[in-house]
Amino acid sequence: MVTETVNPLKITFRGPAKYFTDAIPIGNGRLGAMVWGGVASETLQLNEDTLWTGIPGNYTYPDAPKALSEVRRLVDIGEYAEATTSAVKLFGKPADVYQLLGDIKLEFGDSHLKYAEETYRRELDLNSATALVTYSVGDVEFTREHFSSNSDQVIVTKISGSKSGSTSFTVSVDSKLDHRSYVNGNSQIIMEGSCPGKRIPPKVTANDDTKGIQFSAILDIKISDSRGMVYAIEDKKLKVEGADWAVILLVASSSFDGPFTKPSDSKKDPTFESMSTLQLIRNLPYSDLYTRHLDTYQNLFHRVSLQLSRSPEGIMRDGSSITDICSKENDDAVSTAERVKSFQTDEDPSLVELLFQFGRYLLISCSRPGTQVANLQGIWNKDLEPKWDSAPHININLEMNYWPSLPCNLGECQGPLFDFLTSLSINGSKTAQVNYLARGWVAHHKTDIWAKSSADRGEVVWALWPMGGAWLCTHLWEHYSYTMDKDFLQNKAYPLLEGCASFLLDWLIEGQDGYFETNPSTSPEHNFITPDGKLACVSYSSTMDMAIIREVFSAIISAAEVLGRSEDALVEKVQKAQPRLRPTKIAQDGSIMEWAQEFEDAQVHHRHLSHLFGLFPGHTITAEKTPGLCKAAEKTLHKRGEEGPGWSTTWKTALWARLLNSEHAYRMVKRLINLVDPEHEKAFEGGLYSNLFAAHPPFQIDANFGFAAAIVEMLVQSTLNDLYLLPAVPRDKWPNGCVKGLRARGGVTVSICWKEGDLHEVGIWSKDDGSFKTLHYRGTSVTVNISSGRTYTFNGELKCMN
């Protein structure tokens, strides 16, 4: 546990939210809200992570094998445009759609319109995961505090005024979904409703009898004992009058009982579950609720601290100790949006710190043990028909969402991903068997709460991509690499890797030149120009296909070695197949080829960097082992250009960091930190909104997570046996800094301080015995034996100081 940084780490605003992306996100992993901070009226937009359209689906298609044979035949004879057209016959049904829960609406009356604007303050404090709104009307200061507690599964709002008896308001709960809302007793509102049983669009009609997921939310109010009263209005609203303070509790539940249970068969009663949750906490004082919230949140958040500075005084109090991190002054009068806007000129390092920690905050807030996986918007959605269904896309989105979990010391937050993988493998095994006549399991580019595994309905260029499950499986070995958790490897990871490798072995086809090929094959979302000038996307053995398969094969071979299963028949087949995978090739212009043939790019500056998977997040292209491919990767990045949506920008940051190029890594950091105006946003241009949500645009959360992971890549890189210190830190921009609590492969925790551009001190701790690590810094390498439970400190010359 590291000590709390002095730097306030606050996202601040000078007025109420005008757009969704001005509002403040809070969440406990499952239950989230967007706090708008209105004055006379306030809205909290609510989400619960199991609210989706639809029911469990059938992700098999008996006619697919015939369609697959035809596509493969067309690819084999070089008719790529025709193969692309024919590939639509491999599609299944579209994914379902993430929904919203509803809104808490607070009305404070016209008197609050007379508030003094200069007194208004709205902020998200990352250290406490609390949203705060304050303003003054006359001589009364009004305060609202909001947090979403994981320990008690409740959203809590406290409303108070500085003068006794000054707290009065009306509250109601509403939803865009089919629902009813009613007052229960004299201090509760119950909202009950249902999600559509079919995705939208198509629109659900009145005679559609498919029962969707049911939900319930209960709002409970408690006011000061000495003053005030609460009573019902119109049987739908509650009125608080003349209180000193009021505490609002919002709990919610759904009938979702796993991806294989129809909502109509669910035995879960959402209202009963919500009421049971509420009964446990409704008599707890606000201070207890807040303390319990802080305990569970800060146990995760305070593991890592980061300080970047232009001056050594801004980093280390005594100029020498890694254990003391000091901070810079932060002017609360300047909004975060203004800081983002000025970053292009002032390049304030503390804003990088804030954005890094915001990524960690968001992961804690939308993915905790037992919740659903973080989707395209985490858990924060305002629409019945959100962009891209707000679904997990597994051709990079879902993977990028979890890139920071391990290096940023939030391993528990990755738990939902592995639970989801288990469900995906069950549906995926049926898809593999029926659609592709293959063993093992498969998943494509997009999924949903029902663990959809088949190809989506849509355009071939993105929908036909059977490598999604394989990419997700690389996270299994990464989890072991960071945690050295052998039980996890044996019981959770290995069975999933076995199924994935089985499918890949059956999917591979021996080509005429002896290499194993994939056919059909696409490079996510990118078209090429065929030799006869046609637009196509389907060919064979895209570079990304081969890179992912190579990574999965390496993972299962390594896992088998750890578990003593290297002689398993499956592992032996993988070992024989691995050297026959089509190698990564370099094009005539010196860049890495994206496809097996040197096709012309349909978009040279395309947003995806699929053919660089082997560099990051993969491990097959490295400066030590493949310098030629690294040079080609650099050429590829230059060729792709710097423009693109937020997630593409952060991926490029990590790629440049892996190439040890601090200048270009920082250029991508700077490119992301651009303020986006929601009224004039342009598609695929990236940037940040005023609340630091990252833009595609519109808002997509993966860039926030990708940013945190990319910053770590600039600070430390690792293998099971190696630690590379400050490999891509821009010393002219961040000449001084300290980071504490990062995790690295091999089960170690790392802290690093640097001063005037040079390494100053390194701390390493491991819970595992007898771990040999080689430390690398600027050409110097030192191998040390790290014993468990002891912190080892090294100076700038990598000499052990204790």
Side-chain angles (χ1 to χ4, degrees), residues 284-576:
L284 290 175
Y286 176 81
S287 58
D288 285 7
L289 291 168
Y290 189 60
T291 298
R292 288 150 68 114
H293 157 67
L294 287 181
D295 285 347
T296 53
Y297 170 75
Q298 291 182 340
N299 177 52
L300 294 166
F301 186 74
H302 282 170
R303 292 174 182 175
V304 173
S305 62
L306 172 67
Q307 295 289 302
L308 304 170
S309 177
R310 296 188 181 99
S311 66
E313 291 76 18
I315 291 299
M316 289 169 281
R317 289 193 185 95
D318 60 6
S320 62
S321 175
I322 198 168
T323 59
D324 290 321
I325 295 181
C326 206
S327 68
K328 299 164 289 298
E329 293 298 319
N330 194 2
D331 186 359
D332 280 344
V334 179
S335 72
T336 300
E338 290 170 310
R339 295 177 65 193
V340 172
K341 204 169 186 177
S342 65
F343 187 83
Q344 295 303 308
T345 53
D346 68 26
E347 301 185 54
D348 177 11
S350 68
L351 187 58
V352 176
E353 301 167 16
L354 183 66
L355 189 56
F356 168 81
Q357 293 287 21
F358 184 54
R360 296 182 67 247
Y361 164 83
L362 289 174
L363 187 59
I364 295 168
S365 300
C366 73
S367 185
R368 301 285 278 275
T371 71
Q372 302 304 305
V373 289
N375 63 44
L376 200 68
Q377 294 176 224
I379 51 172
W380 297 281
N381 163 49
K382 63 180 175 61
D383 300 313
L384 289 177
E385 298 181 35
K387 192 72 172 175
W388 304 294
D389 301 336
S390 197
H393 290 62
I394 54 178
N395 66 359
I396 187 168
N397 155 250
L398 184 57
E399 292 88 354
M400 185 179 279
N401 284 1
Y402 288 96
W403 281 357
S405 59
L406 294 165
C408 289
N409 213 336
L410 298 173
E412 300 93 324
C413 294
Q414 206 173 21
L417 178 64
F418 301 135
D419 294 339
F420 182 69
L421 263 179
T422 298
S423 300
L424 199 59
S425 71
I426 293 170
N427 281 335
S429 63
K430 299 172 187 174
T431 302
Q433 183 178 0
V434 175
N435 293 23
Y436 299 134
L437 306 180
R439 297 167 300 161
W441 67 274
V442 63
H444 291 72
H445 103 286
K446 185 179 181 184
T447 185
D448 55 26
I449 199 169
W450 308 110
K452 170 183 162 59
S453 52
S454 59
D456 209 54
R457 187 171 298 279
E459 295 182 32
V460 176
V461 71
W462 44 261
L464 184 67
W465 195 68
M467 290 291 134
W471 187 347
L472 288 171
C473 275
T474 66
H475 287 247
L476 295 162
W477 176 250
E478 286 282 52
H479 189 83
Y480 172 76
S481 297
Y482 277 87
T483 64
M484 309 303 286
D485 184 343
K486 197 170 178 179
D487 287 339
F488 168 84
L489 187 66
Q490 180 169 309
N491 299 320
K492 176 70 87 171
Y494 198 79
L496 289 166
L497 283 168
E498 276 187 309
C500 180
S502 294
F503 171 77
L504 293 174
L505 286 169
D506 283 358
W507 183 247
L508 289 166
I509 302 167
E510 185 171 356
Q512 292 181 353
D513 55 6
Y515 286 120
F516 281 131
E517 298 176 347
T518 57
N519 177 10
S521 175
T522 60
S523 192
E525 304 187 25
H526 197 191
N527 289 301
F528 57 83
I529 309 298
T530 66
D532 55 354
K534 297 176 182 176
L535 190 68
C537 64
V538 175
S539 63
Y540 65 96
S541 303
S542 72
T543 298
M544 190 184 213
D545 276 12
M546 292 296 118
I548 289 175
I549 295 170
R550 198 170 285 114
E551 204 79 25
V552 171
F553 282 2
S554 293
I556 194 169
I557 290 169
S558 298
E561 189 175 338
V562 173
L563 298 174
R565 301 185 60 169
S566 296
E567 294 182 6
D568 284 9
L570 175 68
V571 178
E572 290 182 345
K573 288 181 181 178
V574 169
Q575 289 172 327
K576 291 177 182 177

Side-chain angles (χ1 to χ4, degrees), residues 124 542 639 681 792:
L124 170 62
S542 72
K639 183 178 175 181
E681 61 186 20
Y792 292 79

Side-chain angles (χ1 to χ4, degrees), residues 762 775 780 782 784 792-802:
V762 184
L775 280 57
T780 299
V782 174
V784 293
Y792 292 79
T793 305
F794 302 86
N795 66 14
E797 287 75 43
L798 300 184
K799 293 180 180 177
C800 189
M801 306 299 289
N802 59 342

Side-chain angles (χ1 to χ4, degrees), residues 6-36:
V6 181
N7 194 8
L9 288 177
K10 293 178 180 179
I11 300 172
T12 59
F13 306 83
R14 301 177 81 174
K18 186 177 178 183
Y19 304 99
F20 177 78
T21 48
D22 299 328
I24 293 174
I26 58 173
N28 63 16
R30 178 184 69 87
L31 197 56
M34 293 293 284
V35 181
W36 282 58

